[in-house]
Amino acid sequence: MTYFNKLRIRSLLVIGLFSSQAFAQHVSYRSFDHYNDKVAEFERMSDIDSTDIVMLGNSLTEYAGDWSKLLKYRHVKNRGIAGDDAEGISQRLNQILPRRPKAVFLMIGINDISHGLTASEVFEKCQKVIDKIWAHRRYTKLYVQSILPINETFDQWKNLEGKTDEVAAVNKLLRHYCMRNNITYINLFKDFNRHGTNEMRKPLTCDGLHLTPIGYKVWTFRLNRYL
């Protein structure tokens, strides 16, 4: 083997090393225990690739389980973490975006609302995540899903008391932002709210926040229009 061939092989090995590092999934951000455990679990999984659709969000996304089965569509990855908020999602985008997934369906904001933030403050946090994903639009299609309504009559979530109308207010800001920037916005809210109110229909929720199997059927029916 000539000197130049040896040099070329060595260069390719170095490039390969840097390429693998560029796609590293490590997330240095640390939050609550379940978040940390799920991030570590995602790191152990096979990489997301350009054939994958990513469902990205919080407990509503995570608790759906196998989205491929629900949507009857191959290569759908569940990247929901119960309790996650805009900051947590933003910090773990390096597990998702470098491999250029086909699409990301993002649902974000309900846990930020539960932190006592105003609608404008929640929107600003969500916008930063949207902008990070939108910067990759050459390779990855972004779908921003509305926040689902809640139903306070279940009296399960004290940190969401009085926040029924706040959800609608954040959704309005998200919808207008997506319209201005030509981002696809999926208005799930109107599929879940009781007519004439901002309240979740009772048959669709098990506790005023999370969904029944019927609720997931309503959600997947809407998403199938985009697949």
Side-chain angles (χ1 to χ4, degrees):
M1 184 180 294
T2 66
Y3 170 79
F4 290 106
N5 283 336
K6 289 181 180 178
L7 186 62
R8 180 173 179 272
I9 290 172
R10 185 177 300 172
S11 299
L12 288 172
L13 289 172
V14 171
I15 291 171
L17 174 62
F18 279 103
S19 297
S20 64
Q21 289 174 341
F23 290 122
Q25 293 188 345
H26 183 67
V27 177
S28 58
Y29 179 76
R30 288 292 174 265
S31 189
F32 52 95
D33 288 345
H34 182 66
Y35 178 96
N36 300 335
D37 291 343
K38 290 296 291 185
V39 163
E41 178 185 325
F42 295 152
E43 288 181 358
R44 294 191 296 268
M45 291 179 176
S46 59
D47 287 338
I48 288 168
D49 63 36
S50 60
T51 67
D52 287 325
I53 291 170
V54 178
M55 302 299 298
L56 180 58
N58 48 50
S59 58
L60 291 161
T61 301
E62 180 185 346
Y63 294 167
D66 188 346
W67 277 99
S68 287
K69 186 177 294 184
L70 284 173
L71 293 169
K72 297 179 173 58
Y73 196 92
R74 295 179 62 192
H75 304 295
V76 184
K77 300 290 180 66
N78 189 333
R79 290 298 182 269
I81 297 181
D84 206 2
D85 56 16
E87 180 63 22
I89 290 175
S90 178
Q91 292 287 344
R92 60 189 178 92
L93 287 176
N94 68 327
Q95 290 188 324
I96 297 166
L97 296 178
R99 290 290 188 178
R100 301 175 180 176
K102 184 176 182 179
V104 171
F105 284 81
L106 174 69
M107 181 179 284
I108 186 174
I110 191 62
N111 288 319
D112 296 274
I113 291 174
S114 77
H115 295 164
L117 304 176
T118 66
S120 295
E121 290 170 336
V122 173
F123 165 72
E124 288 173 6
K125 288 179 174 292
C126 295
Q127 180 193 329
K128 290 177 182 178
V129 178
I130 291 168
D131 289 348
K132 277 189 173 183
I133 302 172
W134 187 237
H136 293 253
R137 61 188 177 275
R138 181 178 175 185
Y139 308 104
T140 301
K141 176 71 175 176
L142 172 61
Y143 298 90
V144 175
Q145 304 169 98
S146 66
I147 305 170
L148 298 186
I150 58 175
N151 190 312
E152 296 185 49
T153 65
F154 284 78
D155 197 28
Q156 291 288 315
W157 306 98
K158 297 300 182 183
N159 54 359
L160 286 172
E161 279 187 0
K163 302 295 185 180
T164 294
D165 293 335
E166 201 80 1
V167 174
V170 175
N171 279 334
K172 183 177 180 180
L173 293 170
L174 289 172
R175 178 167 55 85
H176 288 169
Y177 184 75
C178 289
M179 288 175 62
R180 289 196 305 270
N181 291 279
N182 296 314
I183 300 169
T184 302
Y185 177 79
I186 303 177
N187 188 357
L188 294 169
F189 188 90
K190 67 180 182 180
D191 298 322
F192 283 82
N193 70 310
R194 187 166 58 84
H195 182 69
T197 75
N198 290 325
E199 186 178 81
M200 172 88 80
R201 286 188 279 146
K202 280 191 173 182
L204 305 183
T205 179
C206 56
D207 59 5
L209 174 63
H210 300 106
L211 301 182
T212 61
I214 297 173
Y216 279 109
K217 285 183 179 179
V218 172
W219 189 353
T220 54
F221 177 79
R222 170 68 66 174
L223 293 191
N224 274 317
R225 301 181 186 183
Y226 296 87
L227 297 175

